[in-house]
Amino acid sequence: MLSALDRQGMFVVPGDKVGVIEEFLSGPGTYVEDGEIRAANVGFLLLNLSARKVSVFRPTRLKGAACVPRPGSVVIGEVSETHQTYLLMRIWIVGPKHLSGFFTGLLHISNVGLRVRNMFNVARPGDIVRARVVSVKNRICHLSLADRRLGAIYAFCSNCGELLKARKDKKLICEACGSLELRKLASDYGETAL
Ligand SMILES: [Zn+2]
């Protein structure tokens, strides 16, 4: 099993193992079976490392219909990899609809909409990001963040995995370990119900 930090923000489906009772308390959206904590619904993991509690945030607008991202679609996904000049996302919401599978999203540094030195100041693995699809080639969605509504809507501390809080100066602070981090924030950072 992945470390707690690697699991933070991970997208899960019902039945997925999200922890063990020796390690965590079972929080909202989870259940315990034979000493293992499992996801009760579709959503993403939030590990509260100070309270040792694992929860699964349930998307509130779950709809079954299949849906394909198109140029202009606004999508939400989880960052899976961050590199110097680009990042990759697993897209699971297109407009108001939740997908049954995933599309891969690629965001290049030239489409961030801000001048940034590297993509680690835009979003990091586990962060939940809202983006717009520019084009779709070979099932890969090329993404843009060039709008105030686009960017990270939830971000997690690189140091300890706790959910980061936005300060007035737009920096993010981890209230658990005091770490300060930068992201390209959506204007409604931390307020979106998924
Ligand atoms: Zn922290």
Side-chain angles (χ1 to χ4, degrees):
M1 193 156 188
L2 295 170
S3 75
L5 194 56
D6 287 335
R7 278 180 283 155
Q8 185 72 273
M10 182 180 273
F11 184 78
V12 294
V13 297
D16 278 356
K17 183 178 171 184
V18 296
V20 291
I21 55 170
E22 291 83 3
E23 183 190 21
F24 284 109
L25 297 166
S26 164
T30 72
Y31 64 93
V32 177
E33 189 179 76
D34 299 331
E36 294 182 339
I37 306 171
R38 293 182 184 274
N41 48 251
V42 172
F44 66 91
L45 274 187
L46 184 59
L47 300 171
N48 183 325
L49 297 175
S50 47
R52 310 302 302 174
K53 187 178 259 187
V54 56
S55 311
V56 175
F57 275 65
R58 185 195 172 93
T60 52
R61 292 180 293 176
L62 195 65
K63 288 177 185 168
C67 181
V68 175
R70 295 189 171 84
S73 299
V74 172
V75 299
I76 294 176
E78 179 200 332
V79 176
S80 51
E81 290 177 31
T82 300
H83 301 269
Q84 196 75 18
T85 59
Y86 70 96
L87 62 76
L88 297 175
M89 276 170 59
R90 282 190 287 261
I91 295 167
W92 41 276
I93 300 177
V94 178
K97 292 193 171 164
H98 286 254
L99 304 177
S100 49
F102 300 100
F103 282 86
T104 299
L106 188 152
L107 173 68
H108 188 261
I109 196 163
S110 60
N111 282 329
V112 171
L114 296 173
R115 211 178 278 189
V116 286
R117 205 172 295 169
N118 68 64
M119 292 302 282
F120 295 94
N121 289 344
V122 174
R124 299 186 187 196
D127 291 352
I128 307 299
V129 170
R130 184 192 295 117
R132 177 172 285 115
V133 177
V134 177
S135 62
V136 183
K137 288 170 197 151
N138 302 323
R139 287 181 64 89
I140 293 177
C141 300
H142 294 258
L143 304 172
S144 166
L145 293 186
D147 187 283
R148 58 187 294 275
R149 294 263 309 153
L150 304 177
I153 54 176
Y154 290 100
F156 299 95
C157 177
S158 310
N159 189 34
C160 75
E162 191 61 77
L163 187 65
L164 294 166
K165 283 228 167 120
R167 303 197 311 187
K168 282 196 177 127
D169 64 2
K170 302 287 182 194
K171 281 186 182 148
L172 293 171
I173 185 152
C174 174
E175 292 185 336
C177 76
S179 175
L180 275 177
E181 302 200 9
L182 290 173
R183 299 288 196 275
K184 199 287 184 181
L185 296 181
S187 54
D188 60 343
Y189 176 84
E191 297 167 12
T192 309
L194 290 170

